[in-house]
Amino acid sequence: MTCVLMIGGTDSSGGAGLTQDTAVVARFGCHPKPVVTCVTAQTDSAVQETFAIPASVVAAQIDAAFADTAPCVVKIGMIGSTELAQVIAARLAPHDVPIILDPVLRASSGGVLGNEASFRPLAGLVALITPNLIEAAQLTDRPVAENDDEIAAQARTLQEHGAQAVLIKGGHASGGTCTDHLFGPDGHRRLGAPRVARARRGTGCALASAIAAHLALGRELDEACAQAKMFVQTWLTQPRN
């Protein structure tokens, strides 16, 4: 059984968070192991309330997930606090598994779900971090990048903080092509697809989870990112179930 550990928050609307993560991972034939960091009360248009799970409970969930059939990839979404990030980092550090970090700072509806400091304890453990343009700017304390040089500079900063690879997503840019920028050991690769006018909540969750699933199935990072991009492109055009 190919298992993927999903660490993140719940979303009562079902549009994002662990609901989206587990659905995507299962779609690729992997077994999701969800660890809840926060419970959120959300609708499609607003975050109404959040509740952080006690750190000891988060630690126990992670330990239990590794106790039997250990996951071979970890995907992290909403963390909620620096304390929880420190606990997650301490529990994951002994395990030699790639970690995909989707730095959830705000919900699509605009509600605040995290801050830059809550990701710092995990920086040195991350195989890939997947910020959008706005998140990359916040994480590097710079203006939102407007060209390839500025995107590359922000990616270098995130790598200097410890991330082995960086995927800066272009969904918040303009133009007919949505281009994601992957920076890794092999350099810079652009992943482009026609921009879809329709917005959909949980896109970042779906992409990072699809990358995690493809890594779990044995694909290299660049191919996992490319395949995940194609999956999300198709997913965006499908009616919501």
Side-chain angles (χ1 to χ4, degrees), residues 7-236:
I7 301 176
T10 67
D11 174 1
S12 54
S13 76
L18 286 173
T19 301
Q20 191 66 258
D21 295 338
T22 55
V24 170
V25 165
R27 186 166 180 168
F28 287 102
C30 300
H31 177 70
K33 289 193 166 190
V35 168
V36 182
T37 58
C38 300
V39 175
T40 73
Q42 293 189 57
T43 66
D44 286 337
S45 59
V47 178
Q48 299 177 336
E49 193 169 349
T50 64
F51 173 77
I53 302 299
S56 61
V57 178
V58 174
Q61 291 178 84
I62 295 172
D63 291 345
F66 281 97
D68 40 34
T69 304
C72 55
V73 179
V74 177
K75 184 266 179 180
I76 303 175
M78 180 183 179
I79 298 173
S81 71
T82 303
E83 178 191 11
L84 285 181
Q86 292 169 338
V87 168
I88 293 168
R91 282 303 193 272
L92 293 180
H95 302 286
D96 185 20
V97 293
I99 298 171
I100 311 302
L101 175 60
D102 180 24
V104 178
L105 301 177
R106 286 183 176 271
S108 299
S109 59
V112 177
L113 299 177
N115 58 62
E116 299 90 318
S118 64
F119 297 98
R120 290 173 190 157
L122 289 157
L125 300 177
V126 173
L128 176 71
I129 186 169
T130 63
N132 59 37
L133 287 168
I134 297 171
E135 291 162 345
Q138 289 180 268
L139 291 171
T140 59
D141 195 24
R142 299 184 185 186
V144 175
E146 296 183 352
N147 55 56
D148 285 5
D149 289 342
E150 292 176 355
I151 290 172
Q154 292 182 11
R156 283 195 300 271
T157 297
L158 292 172
Q159 288 177 304
E160 289 167 0
H161 290 168
Q164 296 172 32
V166 179
L167 180 68
I168 297 183
K169 299 171 291 190
H172 288 82
S174 58
T177 300
C178 177
T179 302
D180 298 344
H181 297 261
L182 176 61
F183 299 85
D186 297 327
H188 176 201
R189 179 177 178 183
R190 293 173 178 82
L191 304 173
R195 189 174 299 279
V196 178
R198 175 192 178 197
R200 187 168 181 179
R201 293 182 59 234
T203 304
C205 302
L207 180 68
S209 297
I211 293 170
H214 281 294
L215 288 176
L217 294 172
R219 292 181 174 85
E220 297 295 328
L221 180 62
D222 59 345
E223 181 62 18
C225 291
Q227 291 292 327
K229 174 82 170 178
M230 293 173 59
F231 164 76
V232 169
Q233 185 73 8
T234 301
W235 175 77
L236 282 171

